[in-house]
Amino acid sequence: MSETQPTVAVEYRGKAAVVTVIVANILSEDELNRLKQAVNPLLSDSGLVLIMDFTDVRSISSSVIGYLVSLKKYIDGKGGVFRVCCIDKKVTSTSSDKYVYEIFKIVKLDTFFHICPTVEDALASF
């Protein structure tokens, strides 16, 4: 992946920032750093509502999970809302179809995060 290729798309919907991850795999430190560079500037507002949409993501590294845990703790500490959505939908037509939800479930983060099936459900959840 090229350094100039975006990792996420950000859309504001009401008071929420919806961050759609547009890469299939976030496995390397470079990919994680691009994710952080896109998301961290959104964190300046207290009371932030951040929704992370993983619709097209097949796999993530443990470093990404650590970053998401840190994000949630930071946003919770600022009185904000953090939602993860679209991790239980299977990406098809690939040689390594995976559920990102299974990764969350294995490390017991399915109970730590508020996980919504869709962006619309995430928007309606606060």
Side-chain angles (χ1 to χ4, degrees):
M1 172 182 282
S2 165
E3 290 275 342
T4 60
Q5 193 171 9
T7 302
V8 301
V10 179
E11 173 188 6
Y12 291 92
R13 297 193 44 195
K15 63 180 181 176
V18 178
V19 177
T20 302
V21 181
I22 55 176
V23 294
N25 302 296
I26 308 173
L27 301 172
S28 73
E29 278 303 309
D30 286 341
E31 291 160 338
L32 174 58
N33 287 334
R34 283 194 296 277
L35 178 65
K36 288 178 179 180
Q37 288 171 357
V39 173
N40 287 352
L42 304 173
L43 303 178
S44 61
D45 297 331
S46 62
L48 169 71
V49 176
L50 182 67
I51 299 170
M52 299 273 310
D53 177 358
F54 287 90
T55 299
D56 295 323
V57 178
R58 282 196 317 259
S59 51
I60 57 176
S61 69
S62 60
S63 296
V64 173
I65 291 171
Y67 175 63
L68 294 175
V69 168
S70 296
L71 259 180
K72 182 182 181 328
K73 288 179 179 180
Y74 179 83
I75 292 170
D76 287 352
K78 293 283 190 174
V81 175
F82 182 68
R83 299 289 187 259
V84 175
C85 67
C86 307
I87 65 168
D88 58 341
K89 294 184 178 180
K90 189 174 184 180
V91 178
T92 58
S93 303
T94 66
S95 60
S96 60
D97 291 346
K98 294 183 180 181
Y99 289 100
V100 173
Y101 180 77
E102 292 303 317
I103 298 168
F104 277 68
K105 197 171 179 179
I106 288 168
V107 294
K108 308 259 189 251
L109 292 176
D110 57 327
T111 58
F112 178 72
F113 289 105
H114 188 125
I115 300 171
C116 299
T118 67
V119 171
E120 289 71 26
D121 289 327
L123 288 166
S125 70
F126 55 88

